[in-house]
Amino acid sequence: MPEGPSIVILREEVAAFTGKAVERAEGNSKLDKSRLVGQTVQSFRSWGKHFLIELDDVSLRIHLLLFGSYRINERKQSSPRLSLGFANGELNFYACSVQFIEGPLDEAYEWSADVMGDAWDSRAVLKKLRARPRLLACDALLDQTLFSGSGNIIKNEVLFRTRIHPLSLIGELPAAKLRELAKEVRVYSFDFLRWKREGKLKANWLAHTKTTCPRCKIPFVKAKSLGRSKRRAFYCERCQKRHGDSEKVSVNAPVAEE
DNA sequence: TGGTTTGTTGCAGC
DNA sequence: AGCTGCAACAAACC
């Protein structure tokens, strides 16, 4: 479910509830759900993997994490974390994180970091990346403050497309390569969105879960837990160039600034 | 068949 | 104090 493009799809699927009042709010979330009843949906928004329901005096932030799911005008057997009833149907969320966000959403998030968003600004992320030269490429692509909405699939695919080895140091990438990286995260995320809608997401993976490099045909490296983020990685040692050596860390050096 | 995972948080222990 | 590793969530997928 849960990388940024999947949340864009969710946002579109619930559009019929925009402007409708919450008539019923229940579920096993510990939040005070009674507060929601009577409030009107001002908008459905998303910031990366965060699905946002903007109501009259508060917003809801729903994060599907790894196992979360939702149903529109349907119910699963398991009990919902949050179920919202409207005059024209209902929206049910399962196994997710639900939080209130007080105050305007425009102040709660840095919108330029949302890879799928209209306010995406690659210059802003490049500035942040330049400030963290010791950061590994594989960790940069999972850092939601840099690339909000990018997840492990997007990480593996973007590193393969740009031919960047996941253990490259951000500070060692040539300027043009860094710009290419920032640009490709957004380009691939929209490819992901289109392929997911068409039901062809997996069919278009070049690296994620693959065993052989489609370019040079040698076996991919399958790493179980790479980088600080300790997530699995699929990459080609031959055609993904390793910029800098992340192993070279002097014991006496000052604490590495990422 | 059953181990793995498109993710994040909080907490225990060190 | 600040880190690391684990549990929790709970279901589709290979």
Side-chain angles (χ1 to χ4, degrees):
Chain A
M1 253 303 102
E3 295 191 32
S6 302
I7 306 304
V8 170
I9 291 170
L10 162 58
R11 209 178 62 206
E12 293 171 356
E13 289 177 342
V14 298
F17 302 127
T18 304
K20 304 294 179 188
V22 176
E23 295 184 345
R24 174 184 59 74
E26 43 201 44
N28 59 27
S29 162
K30 287 171 191 163
L31 295 186
D32 174 20
K33 294 168 290 288
S34 65
R35 177 176 178 186
L36 305 173
V37 176
Q39 296 206 45
T40 297
V41 175
Q42 298 296 318
S43 67
F44 291 109
R45 300 178 69 175
S46 61
W47 181 83
K49 300 163 190 169
H50 296 206
F51 176 62
L52 303 165
I53 306 176
E54 187 183 17
L55 299 169
D56 297 328
D57 332 312
V58 72
S59 297
L60 281 169
R61 188 213 79 169
I62 292 166
H63 199 307
L64 296 174
L65 300 159
L66 198 52
F67 305 117
S69 61
Y70 63 90
R71 290 292 185 274
I72 299 162
N73 301 326
E74 283 177 23
R75 294 183 182 194
K76 298 177 71 167
Q77 282 214 311
S78 56
S79 40
R81 179 75 23 93
L82 181 67
S83 173
L84 298 176
F86 301 95
N88 59 343
E90 67 178 28
L91 181 50
N92 301 308
F93 293 98
Y94 304 85
C96 56
S97 160
V98 184
Q99 289 179 14
F100 286 135
I101 296 179
E102 309 288 346
L105 286 178
D106 282 334
E107 290 172 21
Y109 289 101
E110 187 179 22
W111 292 92
S112 70
D114 179 13
V115 167
M116 301 301 293
D118 295 337
W120 164 253
D121 182 356
S122 64
R123 286 164 305 172
V125 74
L126 285 168
K127 188 176 175 183
K128 285 185 259 181
L129 286 167
R130 286 187 212 108
R132 298 176 67 183
R134 300 286 308 167
L135 185 63
L136 298 176
C138 60
D139 289 330
L141 286 166
L142 293 174
D143 186 325
Q144 302 300 296
T145 67
L146 299 170
F147 297 105
S148 174
S150 173
N152 211 33
I153 296 170
I154 294 174
K155 175 196 83 177
N156 284 317
E157 293 298 308
V158 168
L159 291 173
F160 182 73
R161 283 179 165 208
T162 56
R163 305 190 183 217
I164 296 171
H165 191 291
L167 295 175
S168 296
L169 291 167
I170 288 297
E172 300 295 326
L173 292 175
K177 205 66 183 169
L178 197 65
R179 286 195 298 271
E180 186 190 344
L181 175 67
K183 184 181 172 192
E184 196 59 30
V185 179
R186 182 163 166 98
V187 170
Y188 177 71
S189 294
F190 280 89
D191 285 343
F192 182 129
L193 175 62
R194 187 176 74 253
W195 286 326
K196 175 110 185 166
R197 282 189 179 127
E198 295 170 353
K200 296 175 183 168
L201 179 64
K202 277 180 198 163
N204 283 286
W205 284 345
L206 298 176
H208 190 73
T209 72
K210 299 295 174 178
T211 55
T212 307
C213 174
R215 258 188 221 119
C216 69
K217 315 298 179 195
I218 69 167
F220 266 132
V221 177
K222 177 180 176 177
K224 267 197 148 163
S225 88
L226 214 67
R228 179 169 287 201
S229 46
K230 295 190 164 54
R231 301 294 301 277
R232 64 181 184 151
F234 302 84
Y235 58 97
C236 178
E237 283 285 5
R238 184 180 294 168
C239 50
Q240 288 173 254
K241 181 175 162 67
R242 185 160 175 171
H243 301 265
D245 189 347
S246 50
E247 299 300 308
K248 278 187 195 161
V249 178
S250 164
V251 177
N252 297 319
V255 176
E257 294 257 344
E258 286 192 343

